[in-house]
Amino acid sequence: MKRTFILSLTLGLSSIAFAQNNKTITVKNPSAVSRTELISIPYATFEKHFELKKNVFTIVDSKDKAELAYQLEKLGQPTPQNVLIQVSIAPKSALTFGVTGNNPKTVATKTFARYVPERKDDFAWENDIAAFRAYGKALEGSSEDAQGFDFWSKRTNDLIIDEWYKTGDYHADHGKGLDYYSVGQTLGVGDATPFIDQQVVYHKHYRQYEVLDNGPLRTTFKLIYEPENVKGQNIQVEKTVSLDAGSQLNKIRYAIKNTTSSSTPVVVGVAKRKEDKPQLLNDTKRVFWLIGSPLRG
């Protein structure tokens, strides 16, 4: 008798069904749109289901035998915590896959992050769609000082962080895109900060970083801020950021410790641009977006 159990997902694909008799997994897409994204399965569950003997395997579409790209997500641990699988599923359909013991093909690196000491302690990250950066200690108090997350618009699917920092000429478009986004004293594109006494309160820039995973399909890192007294409250902030291949959105976990107060209001911001008719919220699709990127139509 076929037995299944269901794991709920948060990315729009409704469920994963594990078939015990023929050792396959089925992912369903009940929506009316095509979905291309990473699904995450706990490694221990995946390993037990497929009776893996080692961390080397190939994931294969059961229908056409095409190999699916995957990443073993470690989240800073010595052993895999999750299996991230890149899937593309048509509307109202499903994808079933299994594994073989073969060595997988090399997966092209589509996400990347690094500390940039050569540019005043920047921390930069990107995928095949866009690039971002956060500002570090060396920028504080300088004429270039800015607060929130910066956004770099790309014309290419190539990774460009190393190239652009090497030339230093990323405010002009030479065919691959540019940094046109002016952050200044704002939260930039989706950063957060305490909101105390009805005021947006900026704190110092990050002091430490930890890269938890660095591609090829998902990059996750942590920015750590030192304890600080902000308007009479002693706070410490950590931000954990994940970016997936093919996505224009970061997933950001904002953690704040306040030893002065039992609660800390926080504001999330996006700097408005100077377009004649800027639109930030699509009420029909319930999407919050950034207007002003002319390169990724």
Side-chain angles (χ1 to χ4, degrees), residues 34-52:
S34 296
R35 307 288 304 194
T36 297
E37 58 197 51
L38 294 184
I39 61 171
S40 177
I41 301 173
Y43 183 79
T45 301
F46 190 91
E47 181 182 45
K48 181 178 180 180
H49 178 71
F50 287 114
E51 300 178 344
L52 299 179

Side-chain angles (χ1 to χ4, degrees), residues 41-289:
I41 301 173
Y43 183 79
T45 301
F46 190 91
E47 181 182 45
K48 181 178 180 180
H49 178 71
F50 287 114
E51 300 178 344
L52 299 179
K53 304 301 182 184
K54 55 181 179 178
N55 294 342
V56 178
F57 53 89
T58 298
I59 302 177
V60 180
D61 187 322
S62 297
K63 184 177 181 180
D64 61 12
K65 306 306 179 184
E67 185 173 334
L68 303 181
Y70 73 88
Q71 173 183 332
L72 297 181
E73 184 181 38
K74 294 186 176 181
L75 295 174
Q77 302 300 311
T79 58
Q81 305 299 300
N82 300 296
V83 182
L84 307 176
I85 308 169
Q86 192 171 54
V87 299
S88 295
I89 308 179
K92 300 186 182 301
S93 62
L95 169 69
T96 298
F97 59 83
V99 304
T100 74
N102 300 330
N103 289 319
K105 296 178 181 178
T106 301
V107 178
T109 299
K110 297 182 179 181
T111 66
F112 174 65
R114 76 172 177 94
Y115 170 54
V116 190
E118 67 269 30
R119 220 306 294 197
K120 297 185 178 181
D121 293 338
D122 282 0
F123 191 94
W125 67 102
E126 66 176 317
N127 64 3
D128 49 336
I129 303 297
F132 308 85
R133 65 173 165 177
Y135 300 115
K137 179 180 179 180
L139 204 68
E140 287 178 355
S142 73
S143 60
E144 301 175 275
D145 199 6
Q147 295 295 333
F149 291 153
D150 194 15
F151 171 78
W152 290 2
S153 187
K154 295 167 61 172
R155 289 187 188 273
T156 177
N157 296 124
D158 296 339
L159 300 180
I160 50 78
I161 282 177
D162 284 344
E163 176 185 343
W164 287 13
Y165 274 115
K166 184 176 181 179
T167 66
D169 186 18
Y170 45 79
H171 290 102
D173 183 5
H174 299 289
K176 293 186 177 182
L178 78 163
D179 172 15
Y180 75 96
Y181 190 77
S182 178
V183 176
Q185 299 302 303
T186 75
L187 288 170
V189 55
D191 201 358
T193 197
F195 188 67
I196 302 174
D197 296 336
Q198 300 300 304
Q199 291 183 341
V200 176
V201 181
Y202 297 117
H203 48 73
K204 294 179 181 179
H205 301 328
Y206 83 92
R207 292 298 191 263
Q208 297 175 282
Y209 68 90
E210 295 178 10
V211 178
L212 305 180
D213 287 281
N214 210 357
L217 300 176
R218 175 180 290 170
T219 287
T220 301
F221 61 90
K222 181 183 294 186
L223 300 178
I224 303 168
Y225 299 71
E226 66 182 11
E228 183 179 356
N229 187 288
V230 179
K231 290 185 73 67
Q233 298 194 27
N234 296 315
I235 64 170
Q236 183 175 17
V237 170
E238 290 187 359
K239 301 172 187 177
T240 304
V241 181
S242 290
L243 181 62
D244 290 355
S247 176
Q248 297 190 41
L249 303 176
N250 292 284
K251 178 181 179 181
I252 304 172
R253 180 180 180 270
Y254 185 90
I256 185 167
K257 179 181 180 181
N258 189 332
T259 61
T260 307
S261 175
S262 60
S263 63
T264 308
V266 172
V267 63
V268 178
V270 173
K272 295 176 67 174
R273 305 269 56 91
K274 297 180 180 179
E275 284 74 19
D276 292 336
K277 297 180 180 180
Q279 182 182 6
L280 293 177
L281 180 65
N282 184 313
D283 291 326
T284 301
K285 296 183 178 180
R286 305 307 299 170
V287 174
F288 186 69
W289 53 25

